[in-house]
Amino acid sequence: MSDTNNELLAALESADQIKVGDVVTGEVLAIDNDNQAVIGLHTGEEGVVPAREYSDDRNVSLADNLKVGDTIETVVISNVTSDKEGVSYLLSKKRLEARKAWEKLSFGEGDVVDAKVLNAVRGGLIVDVNGVRGFVPASMVAERFISDLNQFKGEDIKAEVIEIDPAKARLILSRKAVAAQERAEKLAEAFNRLEVGEVVEGKVARLTDFGAFVDLGGVDGLVHVSEISHDRVKNPADVLSKGETVQVKILALDSDRGRISLSIKATQPGPWDEVAEKAPAGTVLEGTVKRVKDFGAFVEIFPGIEGLVHVSQISHKRIENPADVLKSGDKVKVQVLDVKPAEERISLSMKALEEKPADNNREEQSNRASRADVAAYQQEDDGAATLGDIFGDKL
């Protein structure tokens, strides 16, 4: 054979040789157990498309998408040489589609694009942008840390392009920047729509140790733990659950800091609302000493209602320190002296239920006599005063 013929044969063989990265078209010869499709190539050789290389969908069924005789276009990602089977190739349909998508990209860094969240992984979110696989790092998903990213799986989101490199098929996105802008717009709308003192409906979005964040329609307001209930609440999760619908009263709107303060307890009847009717002045009640201070003792007379027994109202005897005669947990009887529901104050007396000691009566008489003596001393009628002048009708 001449040198010219040898060169022509080599050129033809080279033209038919399949290389990694080549785009090839073949015919579906078989589908093996729905795990892979066998493809016949124009060279007479065969290739396989595993299910994982057909689609990003992990649950894809090859049998539902392909049948024997179909023509399919793929890209060669590797070749395997076997003494028995000759040369076979590992093919990918999804990578070819991704390559074509990269070639059609019409956006760049700084642009905001629509993305579909395909999966949540430890480091962030895997998304699809017009057929291109992208990644949103966990730190760029939201303004605050989110421990469970699975909540975004399957969602359509808007994200800003942070880095794009077609040569490396690298696309990094940030949802945080877009979310911050959207939140600012929703806050502005909320501040125009809401009014302090208004009662509105919302849903509990998340719970923390210090309170509950309630979604008011795209923007969250905070119900501090002290504003959840008239009863003492240690942990908001004990009385509220995520997704629960609640009525809240708007306490404050701080547009400068973008904060909305809410109250649940302000929408509910408080323990003080009926105190004036249940315990008017003069009512005798039994209560429990809750706290003892230098100036008196606080006694709980109804659940959540405490009144003050001032030190001067504990006993007819002189009391220097209330702690000398009372302690937390003591059961005592008290009489209501005064009720001020608006100020959440009620004055109580223990002394009013005790009989005055006889010594006090004699002391009072002695004091009256002393005052009478002075008055009598000052009289100048005939220079003397009678016992009737001194004590009057008291004798």
Side-chain angles (χ1 to χ4, degrees):
M1 184 178 294
S2 65
D3 292 340
T4 301
N5 289 336
N6 288 334
E7 291 175 1
L8 180 59
L9 180 60
L12 290 173
E13 291 177 349
S14 176
D16 287 337
Q17 186 178 1
I18 297 175
K19 302 182 295 298
V20 172
D22 285 350
V23 175
V24 295
T25 302
E27 180 182 340
V28 178
L29 302 179
I31 298 176
D32 296 340
N33 298 323
D34 209 30
N35 293 322
Q36 63 180 20
V38 181
I39 311 298
L41 305 176
H42 69 279
T43 59
E45 298 166 310
E46 294 182 354
V48 293
V49 180
R52 68 177 184 277
E53 291 296 336
Y54 183 82
S55 170
D56 282 320
D57 184 358
R58 296 181 178 181
N59 299 316
V60 68
S61 170
L62 293 179
D64 291 342
N65 290 274
L66 295 173
K67 63 181 183 296
V68 174
D70 283 352
T71 299
I72 183 172
E73 188 178 43
T74 60
V75 62
V76 179
I77 55 178
S78 68
N79 60 67
V80 180
T81 303
S82 171
D83 293 337
K84 293 182 178 180
E85 300 179 3
V87 178
S88 63
Y89 299 91
L90 182 61
L91 311 174
S92 176
K93 175 177 174 291
K94 73 174 186 181
R95 299 194 195 192
L96 177 59
E97 292 177 344
R99 179 195 290 185
K100 290 180 179 180
W102 274 104
E103 293 171 353
K104 295 178 181 178
L105 284 185
S106 58
F107 55 79
E109 293 182 4
D111 289 339
V112 175
V113 297
D114 295 316
K116 178 81 171 181
V117 179
L118 301 176
N119 198 15
V121 295
R122 185 175 183 180
L125 301 174
I126 297 173
V127 300
D128 177 88
V129 182
N130 296 332
V132 173
R133 196 180 184 91
F135 183 67
V136 182
S139 61
M140 297 183 180
V141 171
E143 295 177 89
R144 58 184 176 82
F145 173 74
I146 298 179
S147 58
D148 183 11
L149 296 176
N150 285 302
Q151 61 184 286
F152 294 99
K153 195 172 180 179
E155 283 193 4
D156 294 315
I157 64 172
K158 288 186 178 295
E160 180 182 352
V161 178
I162 301 300
E163 182 182 347
I164 182 170
D165 188 346
K168 297 180 180 179
R170 180 180 175 86
L171 177 62
I172 306 298
L173 306 156
S174 172
R175 177 181 174 273
K176 180 167 67 174
V178 179
Q181 178 62 31
E182 290 179 347
R183 181 176 181 274
E185 293 173 356
K186 289 179 179 178
L187 271 174
E189 185 275 331
F191 284 124
N192 289 329
R193 170 171 51 90
L194 302 174
E195 294 182 4
V196 173
E198 183 181 6
V199 175
V200 296
E201 186 176 273
K203 284 190 175 182
V204 177
R206 64 184 189 279
L207 298 167
T208 67
D209 292 340
F210 55 84
F213 286 92
V214 176
D215 183 358
L216 301 179
V219 62
D220 291 349
L222 174 64
V223 180
H224 190 266
V225 63
S226 62
E227 291 294 334
I228 291 177
S229 173
H230 291 287
D231 296 327
R232 182 176 178 82
V233 176
K234 291 184 178 180
N235 188 343
D238 292 339
V239 293
L240 295 172
S241 57
K242 185 177 179 180
E244 179 180 352
T245 299
V246 293
Q247 296 290 320
V248 293
K249 184 175 182 178
I250 300 172
L251 300 181
L253 296 169
D254 188 342
S255 57
D256 292 336
R257 297 196 295 175
R259 294 181 180 179
I260 301 175
S261 299
L262 307 172
S263 174
I264 293 176
K265 78 176 184 181
T267 67
Q268 302 169 345
W272 286 91
D273 293 345
E274 300 178 355
V275 168
E277 296 180 5
K278 293 166 64 176
T283 305
V284 176
L285 302 164
E286 183 175 76
T288 303
V289 176
K290 290 296 185 179
R291 291 168 290 149
V292 180
K293 302 292 184 180
D294 292 343
F295 53 83
F298 288 93
V299 177
E300 185 179 55
I301 54 175
F302 299 115
I305 298 293
E306 293 182 7
L308 173 65
V309 179
H310 189 266
V311 62
S312 64
Q313 291 297 325
I314 294 177
S315 174
H316 288 287
K317 297 179 181 179
R318 182 176 180 82
I319 304 295
E320 296 290 343
N321 187 346
D324 292 339
V325 293
L326 294 173
K327 65 179 183 299
S328 179
D330 283 353
K331 299 292 184 181
V332 295
K333 282 192 174 182
V334 294
Q335 184 179 74
V336 178
L337 298 180
D338 186 35
V339 183
K340 295 180 179 179
E343 300 176 19
E344 296 190 354
R345 290 183 180 179
I346 184 166
S347 299
L348 306 173
S349 174
M350 294 169 58
K351 181 174 74 173
L353 300 178
E354 296 178 352
E355 184 179 353
K356 288 184 179 181
D359 289 343
N360 282 4
N361 291 333
R362 285 196 295 270
E363 181 180 349
E364 185 177 345
Q365 281 186 349
S366 175
N367 289 337
R368 282 203 299 268
S370 177
R371 290 194 296 271
D373 288 342
V374 173
Y377 177 76
Q378 293 175 342
Q379 289 183 1
E380 296 181 357
D381 293 344
D382 299 329
T386 66
L387 290 177
D389 292 330
I390 297 173
F391 292 108
D393 296 332
K394 300 297 181 180
L395 286 177

